[in-house]
Amino acid sequence: MLILGVESSCDETAAAILEDGRLLRANVINSQIAVHAEYGGVVPELASRHHLLNIYPVVQEALHQAEVSLDDIDALAVTQGPGLIGSLLVGLSFVKALALVRGLPFTGVDHLSGHISAVFLGDRQPDYPFVALVASGGHSSIFQVSGPLDYRLLGCSRDDAAGEAFDKVAKLLGLSYPGGPAVAERAAEGDGRAIKFPRAWLEADSLDFSFSGLKTSVVNFVNQCRMKNKPIPIADICASFQEAVVEVLVEKTVMAAKRQGIKHLTAAGGVASNQRLREVLSRRCREEGMELFLTPAEFCTDNAAMIALAGWYRLQNGETSGNDLDVYSRSSLWT
Ligand code: KG4
Ligand code: ZN
């Protein structure tokens, strides 16, 4: 069965073709980084307009890469939410029209379930149940995943998502957009112990996250440097900030696995492509006798392969969508 997956929730227009839930025949991503970079963040109106311009060529390119035509496609999968409403609507409307004209079944996919599924696009795959950390620009969440469609939220961010914190700190320091890779790059030249930024552990047993206090600490630190006319140690700030985010993400994920008595862990979402996070999580899992299955970095950031795979699971379960399907800005997996 050939599934065409489409993703347009934020600033990437992506299409992928997946065969039988296993063989990735095409994976095309058109990033709008250049469009939004001068504004230091995603401008929703511009994002929708560029999705409209890009979606048809991106799908055509995916068909070309997979050496198939629309006649060979058996079903469609599309991100339904969460994300920017205008951006999501472009992908969903496109897929609905295609489904209607071609008489194909389609299914709406939750973006977070896509991120969680992405680990199965790699060579090493966890057993169910596993604990999944999803750290992206919109979410920092820990799930217990007991089956392809069986998620239980164990903890989530009460304010900024981890990726959002990276993006805001980058903007404050005048680094390029998107902030995560830029901060990580500068962090490589800095000392992670140079500045003691706070770790928000919250209540002793909480698996929730909070990154807004950390962001404020970075703002205060930079302001103090300016007031004292001292140079701003950008590399040390980046390294110390990264260390603070990574420590909390890692310790809470390990705590969740311990509490649930689960030995298999996964990490996904854009922030999970961070090298330091991958190193520390690997070390802590080894120390705790747990097995870590890192989502390949190329499938951590937004892509349509993960949407096609999550769609495959839904279709296998008979979960197709109707023409009345609507987008949503917040995840149903949150509750
Ligand atoms: O999953 P994703 O592509 O989109 C969302 O669903 O939000 O994640 C994007 C986020 C951005 O905030 C970006 O700055 C962050 O992931 N990110 C990183 C790295 N690469 C991307 N954060 C830290 N380190 C990285 N290497
Ligand atoms: Zn994402």
Side-chain angles (χ1 to χ4, degrees):
M1 184 192 219
L2 270 192
I3 296 183
L4 167 64
V6 171
E7 152 67 33
S8 69
S9 67
C10 191
D11 59 344
E12 262 98 27
T13 321
I17 294 172
L18 186 69
E19 186 174 339
D20 295 335
R22 273 190 301 273
L23 182 64
L24 188 58
R25 302 269 304 258
N27 188 33
V28 179
I29 303 173
N30 180 294
S31 170
Q32 300 178 11
I33 286 178
V35 175
H36 304 285
E38 64 175 297
Y39 304 97
V42 178
V43 183
E45 262 299 311
L46 285 179
S48 318
R49 263 188 264 167
H50 280 84
H51 283 306
L52 262 180
L53 288 173
N54 294 334
I55 192 146
Y56 185 58
V58 163
V59 168
Q60 273 196 319
E61 175 60 24
L63 293 168
H64 177 74
Q65 262 186 24
E67 296 178 346
V68 295
S69 79
L70 271 179
D71 294 337
D72 302 308
I73 299 295
D74 299 300
L76 308 164
V78 61
T79 308
Q80 188 189 355
L84 301 169
I85 291 295
S87 294
L88 289 162
L89 276 171
V90 175
L92 180 59
S93 308
F94 184 90
V95 163
K96 273 185 185 173
L98 210 53
L100 201 66
V101 170
R102 291 272 159 177
L104 292 172
F106 81 99
T107 190
V109 171
D110 185 280
H111 185 79
L112 268 73
S113 74
H115 275 306
I116 293 169
S117 305
V119 70
F120 292 100
L121 293 166
D123 296 335
R124 290 179 60 250
Q125 312 193 331
D127 294 333
Y128 296 109
F130 59 87
V131 163
L133 168 69
V134 182
S136 69
H139 299 86
S140 309
S141 310
I142 302 175
F143 292 95
Q144 174 169 331
V145 184
S146 302
L149 302 172
D150 186 352
Y151 310 111
R152 190 173 136 218
L153 183 69
L154 301 175
C156 62
S157 181
R158 295 185 186 172
D159 40 57
D160 292 353
E164 198 179 348
F166 269 96
D167 293 337
K168 286 179 177 170
V169 164
K171 201 169 180 179
L172 171 77
L173 297 174
L175 303 181
S176 60
Y177 166 85
V183 169
E185 196 183 324
R186 296 306 303 273
E189 308 147 17
D191 177 1
R193 287 156 307 180
I195 308 156
K196 197 77 200 138
F197 287 129
R199 274 75 167 148
W201 297 113
L202 307 173
E203 305 81 42
D205 60 343
S206 175
L207 295 174
D208 285 346
F209 299 106
S210 167
F211 292 109
S212 73
L214 170 61
K215 180 194 64 194
T216 308
S217 291
V218 177
V219 172
N220 291 341
F221 184 88
V222 169
N223 285 342
Q224 275 179 13
C225 290
R226 288 201 177 114
M227 275 179 341
K228 292 176 190 163
N229 261 330
K230 287 208 286 197
I232 297 168
I234 292 186
D236 283 349
I237 294 176
C238 289
S240 303
F241 161 80
Q242 178 174 265
E243 217 51 36
V245 175
V246 165
E247 189 181 329
V248 178
L249 288 176
V250 168
E251 289 311 319
K252 296 227 175 201
T253 307
V254 169
M255 196 202 313
K258 266 191 195 167
R259 188 179 305 167
Q260 302 302 114
I262 290 174
K263 291 268 183 218
H264 283 195
L265 274 74
T266 69
V271 181
S273 66
N274 182 283
Q275 205 45 46
R276 183 68 185 148
L277 174 64
R278 295 170 86 86
E279 278 165 26
V280 177
L281 194 53
S282 302
R283 175 172 53 73
R284 288 292 291 120
C285 285
R286 261 197 317 276
E287 286 168 4
E288 297 289 342
M290 294 169 174
E291 207 170 335
L292 178 65
F293 300 80
L294 285 166
T295 304
E298 62 180 308
F299 299 122
C300 280
T301 42
D302 288 350
N303 63 84
M306 67 185 195
I307 301 303
L309 181 56
W312 155 262
Y313 294 141
R314 286 178 56 81
L315 291 164
Q316 289 294 100
N317 205 38
E319 296 187 31
T320 51
S321 303
N323 250 331
D324 56 347
L325 190 78
D326 204 357
V327 297
Y328 53 82
S329 60
R330 299 203 63 170
S331 183
S332 54
L333 289 176
W334 276 62
T335 49

